[in-house]
Amino acid sequence: DGRTKTTGDGPTMTDASAWLIRNRMDESRRQALLRELYGPPPNLNFNMMRLTIGASDFSLNLYTLDDIPFGESDTELHYFNVAANLHDLIPTVRDVLAVNPDLLIVASPWSAPAWMKDSQNLIGGELLEEHESAFADYLIKYLDTYRSHGIPIFALTLQNEPAYSPISYPGMLMGAQTRARIIANYLGPRLANRTPRTRILDWDHNWSHPEQPLAVLGD
């Protein structure tokens, strides 16, 4: 009948937003803002939030959650950490969850760690096929680490704007064939038997290219 079902709506909590909320607002103003955004009516009652896995174009620094010296690799993710998120982002999200415990959080990477990419750089390039398994493990480790901080993740996407390669901030191309392969061979099986369930959302981009998600969903 042409209608669509909406799971939720709400804004992204970027590093910059979290920094401003934590460092430029006192406690009373911070709590008032979060209640206005995420509290029940007559507040805005947002019930969904997107988080960035690592830096985005609204971060204070370029980083991922497994940064190591140039030329090295870390396939076992020994150096994975969320230290960059501990001061501002994680406490702010926990404050939001205190306002709305049913908040649905979608998490998206802007870039894989540089050592996983053919560019060896957070800006541009593509994920190397040899590191697709490690990339899936990277996302799983993010889920587990954020849950340990009291932040459950409702859904993951593999890549923010996978058809666009920015020239001034983290990003990478990830075609439909690559996304389908990662979901089928690595991320899907690793999520399949986990509780609570985490969903996979494929097309984290503009709505003008339906052939992209249809290609993945058709595999």
Side-chain angles (χ1 to χ4, degrees):
D1 59 8
R3 290 179 296 179
T4 59
K5 180 181 178 182
T6 299
T7 302
D9 62 330
T12 298
M13 180 66 71
T14 65
D15 290 337
S17 297
W19 186 89
L20 288 167
I21 290 169
R22 301 295 298 183
N23 295 279
R24 289 293 184 265
M25 304 183 80
D26 61 31
E27 178 68 18
S28 62
R29 293 179 63 206
R30 179 163 62 244
Q31 293 303 322
L33 172 66
L34 297 183
R35 283 195 302 271
E36 181 179 354
L37 291 172
Y38 298 98
N43 296 295
L44 292 176
N45 197 29
F46 286 140
N47 70 330
M48 184 169 274
M49 172 190 288
R50 187 164 75 140
L51 297 179
T52 72
I53 303 175
S56 73
D57 42 328
F58 291 97
S59 294
L60 280 68
N61 303 290
L62 297 183
Y63 72 95
T64 71
L65 306 182
D66 198 295
D67 293 327
I68 56 176
F70 181 81
E72 298 183 14
S73 62
D74 181 30
T75 55
E76 299 299 319
L77 303 179
H78 294 302
Y79 296 99
F80 181 97
N81 70 88
V82 296
N85 301 153
L86 291 175
H87 186 265
D88 299 318
L89 184 65
I90 286 175
T92 303
V93 176
R94 287 168 58 96
D95 284 348
V96 174
L97 285 166
V99 175
N100 183 357
D102 296 322
L103 184 74
L104 302 176
I105 298 175
V106 178
S108 306
W110 262 236
S111 173
W115 58 267
M116 294 187 187
K117 300 170 66 177
D118 57 6
S119 64
Q120 295 288 293
N121 196 308
L122 299 189
I123 299 174
E126 299 185 47
L127 183 69
L128 291 167
E129 187 169 351
E130 66 194 72
H131 288 316
E132 288 176 358
S133 178
F135 182 62
D137 286 337
Y138 175 80
L139 298 178
I140 296 290
K141 207 165 183 68
Y142 171 84
L143 294 180
D144 290 339
T145 304
Y146 262 63
R147 178 163 289 280
S148 75
H149 286 282
I151 301 173
I153 303 300
F154 167 75
L156 288 169
T157 83
L158 292 179
Q159 174 61 35
N160 171 71
E161 298 185 346
Y164 177 63
S165 182
I167 61 173
S168 61
Y169 60 86
M172 66 179 184
L173 298 173
M174 185 179 285
Q177 183 178 7
T178 299
R179 300 197 308 277
R181 185 172 60 241
I182 293 172
I183 292 169
N185 295 339
Y186 306 113
L187 187 60
R190 291 168 196 176
L191 289 176
N193 297 317
R194 290 167 57 93
T195 302
R197 181 185 179 197
T198 300
R199 293 158 175 79
I200 302 171
L201 306 181
D202 172 59
W203 183 238
D204 189 358
H205 207 149
N206 298 334
W207 294 3
S208 53
H209 293 280
E211 71 278 4
Q212 283 274 351
L214 288 174
V216 174
L217 294 172
D219 189 324

